[in-house]
Amino acid sequence: MTVQMNMQISPTIFQSTVREWYDALYRFAFSLSRNPDDAADLTQNAFYKFADKGGSINDPTKIKSWLFSVVYREYVDQFRRRGRYPESPLELVPEPAANHRPEAMADRLDSREVLHQLAKVSEKYRVPLTLFYLKSFSYKEIAATLEIPIGTVMSRLRRGKDQLRELLENGGGEEEQPAVTLEFPKKKEARNG
Amino acid sequence: MDNKTAQDILTGYRANGEDARDPFFADALEQCTRDPELATWLERERAFDRSVNTALESIEVPADGKARLLEMAARMEKRQGEGAASSSDENDALIERRKPAFWRGHRWIRASLGLAAACILGLVLWQTLPMLQQPNFEPEKFSMGEFISRAMPLSYRNDDPVNVKAWLASRNAPTPEAFPGNLAEASALGCRIFELPQGGKISLICLLKNGEVVHYFVFDDAASELLAATPLKTWWTEDGWHLYSFNEGNQRIAVATQGNPHHIL
């Protein structure tokens, strides 16, 4: 039987959106969940919601923030249901793609090591940091996606980078960062899609 | 502005240069041109940003998820195309506004396309006709595989399982207590009620979990005899469907999926 997707938007728009954002969205979901299966579920869920409710997005430039926001909120909702942080075995951090060729500074910083240490950065800083690096979210887009003030975005980026840099310089050990309190977006706004 | 403040601001400056014209960064960037130490710091910061960006972009993305979404959208597009070809007068009026100039006045083009659309519609109807037939509810001939193949279309569509259950309850149809396992977090597609000629009702609730459709059948007491010969609390396969059945009070539940059953319960 064919899966019935509640497609309220043009399939053409849906397809172009999937092509443009699927990879980045998956990588963001992976950086949150640190688990390939959860990342795939979070990503798929975001596109199902987009198919159903994406028609309400009047400004196409907002699609990017909307999708990432859905993934983030779904992740937070799951976290709320589980009442704990997800298991985060660092072995799950994947090997970089074989054909991926780092350049400049990346020659010195091993990609796997960066991912390994990024996974240890406190959740609060890791989320805006990942958005900043993935598809180059601007500080305004990060603020809109996470619904936090611009000043908070800037300070979290700064602290997140400092934490990551320190972990990369010192090796960071194998211990996980202690859990920090994750801010839950308001439920009302969480349903605005 | 001191260098510390400039650094705080420039932390959000993207390495790809997209923020070069953003006034938010203007003063801090201006300060870089005057202060070589700050300029060196910014260059190091951007190099660091590029290396982290490179690392994140190196996360391999499984291709199957994207492919499945694209495939579903393509199917949907095809269906919409078929739907448009057989649309009502009202829809025709809507389409009229979108017609290109060359279209108007060329009756033979419209006639040819109309004929083609009619052929496609006929083909679709011919293929879907068996689904529109009523399932066979005679106890000795009943099979879940055949039942599922004729279970569509849904009578009520809603993505909230609570609303679907309420709709069923308001029609005195058998309603599940709570969805077990991972289905507790599934969204709904809709539902349908089957009334058996010999008495008894079956509710079908279509759920969506991890992109897979799951049929959740609730047989009331009278209808439960149809499943008398089927296994209880163990998965079995029938006509390509993975099936699982259990009792819930005086109701019998049957779960059917074509996906991985271990992701369901």
Side-chain angles (χ1 to χ4, degrees):
Chain A
M1 183 187 151
T2 306
V3 172
Q4 294 286 325
M5 183 160 37
N6 195 12
M7 183 77 83
Q8 299 298 326
I9 59 167
S10 149
T12 309
I13 291 174
F14 181 83
Q15 284 171 314
S16 66
T17 307
V18 170
R19 287 195 185 96
E20 184 169 7
W21 294 115
Y22 187 93
D23 291 1
L25 216 54
Y26 174 88
R27 288 174 179 134
F28 177 56
F30 182 86
S31 81
L32 293 172
S33 64
R34 292 175 262 181
N35 179 297
D37 290 336
D38 288 346
D41 287 350
L42 286 166
T43 308
Q44 184 171 266
N45 173 66
F47 281 109
Y48 269 90
K49 286 196 172 163
F50 178 69
D52 188 18
K53 296 171 179 169
S56 64
I57 307 171
N58 296 323
D59 180 357
T61 61
K62 298 281 191 287
I63 289 175
K64 175 183 174 183
S65 296
W66 191 93
L67 285 169
F68 281 81
S69 185
V70 168
V71 166
Y72 176 62
R73 289 176 182 289
E74 180 66 19
Y75 167 73
V76 170
D77 279 352
Q78 284 183 11
F79 166 62
R80 181 192 283 126
R81 280 198 294 269
R82 291 171 187 174
R84 61 174 175 75
Y85 271 80
E87 298 297 328
S88 52
L90 293 171
E91 307 81 64
L92 285 174
V93 174
E95 294 284 355
N99 59 356
H100 197 75
R101 180 65 194 142
E103 56 186 51
M105 181 78 168
D107 277 337
R108 197 164 64 78
L109 283 179
D110 176 65
S111 287
R112 180 169 160 77
E113 179 64 9
V114 171
L115 294 174
H116 188 81
Q117 301 300 349
L118 182 63
K120 295 184 194 172
V121 171
S122 300
E123 188 84 25
K124 190 160 95 175
Y125 307 131
R126 182 155 45 91
V127 175
L129 206 56
T130 309
L131 287 173
F132 178 73
Y133 288 124
L134 269 175
K135 289 285 178 186
S136 298
F137 265 67
S138 72
Y139 63 97
K140 288 178 191 167
E141 287 172 323
I142 297 172
T145 302
L146 304 180
E147 293 176 9
I148 54 178
I150 285 172
T152 308
V153 171
M154 304 308 279
S155 66
R156 287 187 187 178
L157 284 179
R158 182 71 196 265
R159 288 178 190 176
K161 283 188 188 182
D162 287 347
Q163 214 176 80
L164 177 59
R165 200 177 278 114
E166 193 181 331
L167 285 163
L168 286 166
E169 282 169 5
N170 301 329
E174 290 304 310
E175 300 80 23
E176 288 292 292
Q177 288 289 313
V180 294
T181 306
L182 191 65
E183 290 165 13
F184 296 121
K186 292 167 191 164
K187 202 69 179 170
K188 178 176 72 71
E189 292 165 355
R191 304 291 181 210
N192 67 357
Chain B
M1 180 186 293
D2 59 21
N3 277 5
K4 170 76 172 55
T5 309
Q7 285 178 350
D8 283 345
I9 291 171
L10 291 171
T11 296
Y13 187 76
R14 289 176 287 179
N16 61 11
E18 279 186 55
D19 297 320
R21 291 182 189 170
D22 188 335
F24 182 76
F25 298 104
D27 289 345
L29 287 171
E30 171 67 23
Q31 186 143 331
C32 281
T33 62
R34 291 193 303 267
D35 187 330
E37 193 184 328
L38 185 62
T40 305
W41 173 88
L42 180 61
E43 195 45 51
R44 276 204 310 267
E45 187 78 357
R46 292 175 71 177
F48 179 74
D49 289 347
R50 280 193 293 270
S51 66
V52 179
N53 172 260
T54 301
L56 274 169
E57 295 287 341
S58 74
I59 295 175
E60 281 213 81
V61 181
D64 57 339
K66 191 200 292 187
R68 188 158 42 170
L69 287 168
L70 291 172
E71 189 189 338
M72 280 193 292
R75 280 188 203 151
M76 204 67 72
E77 191 170 29
K78 192 178 167 194
R79 272 191 219 141
Q80 284 185 2
E82 287 162 358
S86 59
S87 57
S88 65
D89 290 344
E90 187 183 335
N91 286 338
D92 286 343
L94 193 66
I95 291 164
E96 181 69 36
R97 289 198 291 274
R98 297 175 188 159
K99 284 175 186 171
F102 79 91
W103 177 264
R104 293 187 284 272
H106 289 82
R107 287 189 169 198
W108 62 272
I109 295 178
R110 276 182 279 173
S112 304
L113 290 179
L115 186 64
C119 290
I120 292 169
L121 184 66
L123 188 66
V124 169
L125 280 174
W126 180 70
Q127 286 187 330
T128 55
L129 211 54
M131 289 173 60
L132 301 177
Q133 294 171 357
Q134 271 292 311
N136 191 330
F137 289 122
E138 292 176 54
E140 58 278 6
K141 292 181 181 172
F142 179 80
S143 95
M144 278 302 294
E146 188 256 1
F147 182 23
I148 295 167
S149 71
R150 294 178 178 176
M152 295 292 116
L154 299 174
S155 308
Y156 172 68
R157 287 183 173 274
N158 196 291
D159 63 3
D160 188 340
V162 175
N163 291 341
V164 172
K165 285 207 281 188
W167 188 88
L168 289 170
S170 69
R171 283 156 180 79
N172 296 319
T175 310
E177 289 170 10
F179 296 111
N182 290 331
L183 293 180
E185 295 167 4
S187 58
L189 292 169
C191 63
R192 182 177 176 183
I193 302 166
F194 298 89
E195 295 199 24
L196 278 56
Q198 65 269 38
K201 284 183 180 177
I202 305 168
S203 296
L204 160 63
I205 302 174
C206 276
L207 299 169
L208 195 60
K209 180 63 185 169
N210 299 335
E212 299 286 355
V213 170
V214 179
H215 292 319
Y216 199 90
F217 295 95
V218 187
F219 292 66
D220 70 9
D221 195 22
S224 293
E225 69 163 319
L226 293 173
L227 295 180
T230 57
L232 260 176
K233 293 189 176 179
T234 181
W235 285 98
W236 83 95
T237 304
E238 199 172 314
D239 294 342
W241 289 88
H242 303 295
L243 293 144
Y244 185 91
S245 180
F246 60 95
N247 289 317
E248 186 180 76
N250 59 355
Q251 300 181 141
R252 181 81 176 261
I253 309 292
V255 184
T257 179
Q258 289 182 318
N260 186 338
H262 301 297
H263 291 170
I264 306 300
L265 296 176

